[in-house]
Amino acid sequence: MPEPAETSPKPTPPHPHPGTLRRLEQSSGKLAAAAIARMDDQLSWYRAMPPENRSWIGLVAQAGIAAFTEWFRHPEAPTAISTDVFGTAPRELTRAITLRQTVEMVRTTIEVMESAIDDVAAPGDESVLREALLVYAREIAFATAQVYAQAAEARGAWDARLESLVVNAVLSGEADEGAVSRAAALGWNAPEHVAVVLGTAPDGDSELTVEAIRRAARHAKLQVLTGVLGNRLVVVAGGSDDPVKAAKSLIGPFAAGPVVAGPVVGDLLAATGSAQAAAAGLRACAAWPDAPRPVLADDLLPERAMAGDPVARDLLVEEIYRPLEEAGSALLETLSVYLEQASSLEGAARMLFVHPNTVRYRLRRVTDVTGWSPSDVRSAFTLRIALILGRLADDNGRLQS
């Protein structure tokens, strides 16, 4: 059986411009040095950089010229220019120099190479080398855009994870100095007024929802840290001392349903209290179908208390019942009777054996002391719940003593 004939590799075809290729290879080091010298002369940001970064930029320039030489040798072969050129530098370099600075660096290098065409090209090959350089410059521009787009995408994904960690820490009550540090890395510059807004997240891409919140925040001149956690859209808003106004400016991306704004606090660490109040309000909002949208968590204190929120119970007792108790028994008695008499001045006056004007005066004092008006239906409901909780607290205190 005859042995198969050996197949010899195809000979490499001669380069159509061997003289230019040879001169280009010989000049690559000189061109790289000229490019670095011109950058040092013309680019102030390059001169101001630390030596380590300048050396990396020099390597990128050298790699760019070497990649052009290789590309000129095999113009038909597909090459990954971004890997050949920018792969020589560490990923951190995209953080050290901006896209604009990279464009200036590439432009300077291409200008140096273009100015040397007459010296590098073999006689008659000037137009060939110039055309090749133009095509290569276009590819370098695309490669530069790709490198920075990939870096931005990676930073965006990392920032999104970091932001989610901060928002989750605030909502779970675990915010600490580490969360503050991570927020600072995201651009949070410690505004004086912070409030947390909670609602239902819309269906669909959560990244689009987060971006919509950021656009609304920029328009309202607010700082935000935001994320979709489960079915809830959480926004930590900074820069406004009016939580309802802030919530209204951010409400567009929220799904249908209640949106609750927690109270304003002084910083991100204290925002855990605002978040917990907003979360308790969101859970209790079903008990007040006619609640405004958005609604303050503190306006839901009676519903929160009835839903078992101990913070709301304490607030109703400490901010309504105790001040009335300290103001004198007449205010507590008058308020109690007035509410029992279906908010009738005359009925309360008869039960208390006083003039209706006396009842009217005492009710004004109740408003002054508590901030809640007994003549308003919603406020009267809140006052009634506060009286109930205060009496229960007093009775429990007596039983324990």
Side-chain angles (χ1 to χ4, degrees), residues 138-227:
R138 181 193 65 185
E139 296 300 321
I140 277 288
F142 289 145
T144 303
Q146 181 184 22
V147 166
Y148 275 83
Q150 290 173 342
E153 186 176 351
R155 281 198 299 271
W158 172 251
D159 287 351
R161 290 193 292 271
L162 203 61
E163 188 170 13
S164 180
L165 286 173
V166 175
V167 170
N168 185 64
V170 170
L171 192 62
S172 63
E174 298 175 355
D176 54 14
E177 290 299 334
V180 174
S181 177
R182 287 188 285 271
L186 293 167
W188 180 267
N189 62 5
E192 293 181 1
H193 307 290
V194 180
V196 176
V197 182
L198 283 182
T200 303
D203 296 331
D205 192 340
S206 61
E207 290 184 8
L208 296 179
T209 300
V210 167
E211 185 55 37
I213 289 289
R214 292 199 181 106
R215 284 198 302 270
R218 286 193 294 269
H219 182 73
K221 294 181 172 56
L222 296 171
Q223 293 186 59
V224 293
L225 297 167
T226 184

Side-chain angles (χ1 to χ4, degrees), residues 20-340:
T20 298
L21 177 60
R22 185 169 56 255
R23 295 171 73 170
L24 183 60
E25 290 172 338
Q26 294 170 351
S27 303
S28 59
K30 187 186 301 183
L31 289 173
I36 294 170
R38 182 173 294 191
M39 279 188 273
D40 190 63
D41 181 59
Q42 296 182 354
L43 305 179
S44 58
W45 58 264
Y46 175 79
R47 293 192 300 273
M49 297 189 81
E52 181 182 7
N53 287 341
R54 286 204 304 273
S55 67
W56 282 121
I57 291 174
L59 286 177
V60 170
Q62 292 174 23
I65 295 172
F68 172 68
T69 303
E70 188 64 26
W71 181 81
F72 187 75
R73 177 183 288 110
H74 302 291
E76 75 288 345
T79 56
I81 292 179
S82 62
T83 303
D84 292 343
V85 177
F86 297 101
T88 60
R91 184 180 302 175
E92 291 78 7
L93 191 63
T94 57
R95 294 180 180 269
I97 64 173
T98 65
L99 176 58
R100 179 186 61 80
Q101 291 169 340
T102 303
V103 170
E104 290 178 352
M105 176 189 71
V106 171
R107 180 189 293 121
T108 301
T109 305
I110 295 296
E111 287 174 351
V112 167
M113 295 175 68
E114 191 174 20
S115 66
I117 285 177
D118 293 338
D119 297 328
V120 173
D125 282 352
E126 291 84 359
S127 61
V128 172
L129 189 58
R130 183 172 287 105
E131 183 179 346
L133 185 59
L134 287 175
V135 175
Y136 181 76
R138 181 193 65 185
E139 296 300 321
I140 277 288
F142 289 145
T144 303
Q146 181 184 22
V147 166
Y148 275 83
Q150 290 173 342
E153 186 176 351
R155 281 198 299 271
W158 172 251
D159 287 351
R161 290 193 292 271
L162 203 61
E163 188 170 13
S164 180
L165 286 173
V166 175
V167 170
N168 185 64
V170 170
L171 192 62
S172 63
E174 298 175 355
D176 54 14
E177 290 299 334
V180 174
S181 177
R182 287 188 285 271
L186 293 167
W188 180 267
N189 62 5
E192 293 181 1
H193 307 290
V194 180
V196 176
V197 182
L198 283 182
T200 303
D203 296 331
D205 192 340
S206 61
E207 290 184 8
L208 296 179
T209 300
V210 167
E211 185 55 37
I213 289 289
R214 292 199 181 106
R215 284 198 302 270
R218 286 193 294 269
H219 182 73
K221 294 181 172 56
L222 296 171
Q223 293 186 59
V224 293
L225 297 167
T226 184
V228 175
L229 304 180
N231 66 340
R232 288 190 294 185
L233 176 54
V234 186
V235 183
V236 182
S240 174
D241 59 358
D242 186 341
V244 171
K245 182 180 178 182
K248 284 181 178 178
S249 66
L250 302 171
I251 205 168
F254 283 87
V259 174
V260 182
V264 171
V265 294
D267 54 34
L268 190 62
L269 288 176
T272 56
S274 180
Q276 289 166 359
L282 193 62
R283 288 192 296 268
C285 217
W288 187 13
D290 297 327
R293 186 177 187 267
V295 61
L296 273 175
D298 285 353
D299 288 343
L300 288 157
L301 283 176
E303 287 81 8
R304 289 167 52 190
M306 295 178 72
D309 180 10
V311 175
R313 292 180 176 227
D314 292 342
L315 285 173
L316 287 169
V317 172
E318 297 303 324
E319 295 186 0
I320 295 178
Y321 183 80
R322 296 300 178 208
L324 288 174
E325 189 178 47
E326 293 170 2
S329 59
L331 291 189
L332 271 176
E333 183 184 19
T334 300
L335 175 61
S336 178
V337 172
Y338 175 76
L339 295 176
E340 293 296 334

